[in-house]
C-alpha cells in the first residue's frame, strides 16, 4: 500500500493537471474536494469555507451536511483565518471553541486559502472520524494543493 506522502504526491500531480483546464476558482475547489475526499482514506468531510462580507460561509464540499455559516471568532476555521496558519486539531474535544457540525468528527485540519495577492479568501477544512488523523505531512501537502487554486499556472 502506498504511504501518505506517496498518495499525496500522486494526487498533487493529478490535481495540477485537472486545474490547468479551467481557471474558475470554485470549479477548482470542487475538483480538489472530490479528488481528495475519494482518494484519502480518513477524509470524512472535505470542504471550503469562504469569506464573504466578513462572514465565513460554506462553499463546495464532500461529506455530510455541514454548518452553512461559522460564527465569527469561534472555532478552528476562524482561528486559522485570524492566525493565517494551518491548524491541526488531534482531538476536537480538546479544542475549547471547536464548532461541531457533525458529532462523528473527531479530529480536524484547517488550511488558509490565499489568492495570488496573498489575501486570505477562506479555508480548506478536513474532518476525520478518527482522533489524531492529521499530521505535518497532511499540512504540507494540503497547503501545496490549496495553493494551486490561485497559482497553478506558476507551479
Ligand atoms: N469544526 C469547524 C467547523 C466546520 S466543520 O468541521 C465542517 C470549526 O470549528 O471551525
Amino acid at each position: 500500500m502506498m504511504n501518505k506522502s506517496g498518495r499525496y504526491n500522486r494526487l498533487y500531480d493529478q490535481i495540477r493537471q485537472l486545474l490547468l483546464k479551467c481557471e474558475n476558482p470554485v470549479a477548482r475547489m470542487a475538483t480538489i474536494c472530490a479528488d481528495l475526499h475519494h482518494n484519502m482514506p480518513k477524509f470524512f468531510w472535505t470542504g471550503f469555507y469562504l469569506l464573504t462580507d466578513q462572514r465565513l460561509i460554506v462553499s463546495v464540499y464532500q461529506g455530510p451536511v455541514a454548518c452553512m455559516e461559522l460564527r465569527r471568532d469561534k472555532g478552528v476555521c476562524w482561528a486559522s483565518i485570524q492566525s493565517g496558519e494551518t491548524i491541526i486539531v488531534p482531538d476536537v474535544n480538546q479544542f475549547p471553541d471547536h464548532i461541531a457540525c457533525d458529532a462523528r468528527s473527531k479530529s480536524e485540519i484547517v488550511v488558509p486559502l490565499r489568492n495570488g495577492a496573498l489575501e486570505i479568501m477562506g479555508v480548506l477544512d478536513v474532518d476525520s472520524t478518527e482522533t489524531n488523523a492529521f499530521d505535518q505531512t497532511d499540512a504540507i501537502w494540503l497547503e501545496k494543493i490549496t495553493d494551486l487554486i490561485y497559482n497553478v499556472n506558476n507551479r
Side-chain angles (χ1 to χ4, degrees):
M1 205 187 90
M2 205 183 270
N3 69 20
K4 189 153 71 174
S5 282
R7 201 180 270 265
Y8 271 124
N9 207 333
R10 200 192 55 195
L11 286 178
Y12 178 84
D13 290 339
Q14 190 182 88
I15 288 169
R16 202 182 150 273
Q17 290 306 319
L18 289 168
L19 265 47
L20 286 168
K21 295 180 206 281
C22 176
E23 72 291 343
N24 180 277
V26 175
R28 288 176 168 180
M29 289 178 217
T31 301
I32 287 172
C33 282
D35 208 335
L36 288 174
H37 193 79
H38 293 281
N39 288 295
M40 294 305 292
K42 296 182 181 176
F43 286 30
F44 171 68
W45 192 90
T46 312
F48 288 87
Y49 280 89
L50 299 182
L51 281 171
T52 313
D53 300 330
Q54 313 220 31
R55 295 163 66 189
L56 201 46
I57 310 285
V58 79
S59 182
V60 291
Y61 66 93
Q62 299 258 329
V65 172
C67 314
M68 287 198 282
E69 177 168 359
L70 301 177
R71 216 184 91 199
R72 201 177 168 76
D73 302 332
K74 260 184 78 96
V76 190
C77 293
W78 271 110
S80 175
I81 297 255
Q82 271 148 4
S83 66
E85 309 265 344
T86 295
I87 301 181
I88 295 170
V89 181
D91 179 353
V92 296
N93 293 317
Q94 306 300 318
F95 192 96
D97 264 351
H98 171 260
I99 300 172
C101 295
D102 190 304
R104 290 170 289 181
S105 292
K106 296 290 190 294
S107 63
E108 175 163 11
I109 183 167
V110 178
V111 176
L113 166 66
R114 289 192 172 78
N115 67 10
L118 298 180
E119 296 159 331
I120 294 190
M121 309 301 285
V123 291
L124 168 65
D125 179 12
V126 184
D127 292 5
S128 176
T129 55
E130 287 178 26
T131 52
N132 260 310
F134 306 107
D135 57 21
Q136 276 308 313
T137 300
D138 298 279
I140 289 163
W141 283 103
L142 293 177
E143 284 169 10
K144 272 170 76 71
I145 290 169
T146 303
D147 169 70
L148 291 174
I149 294 166
Y150 289 97
N151 297 304
V152 68
N153 298 95
N154 308 316
R155 298 291 182 262

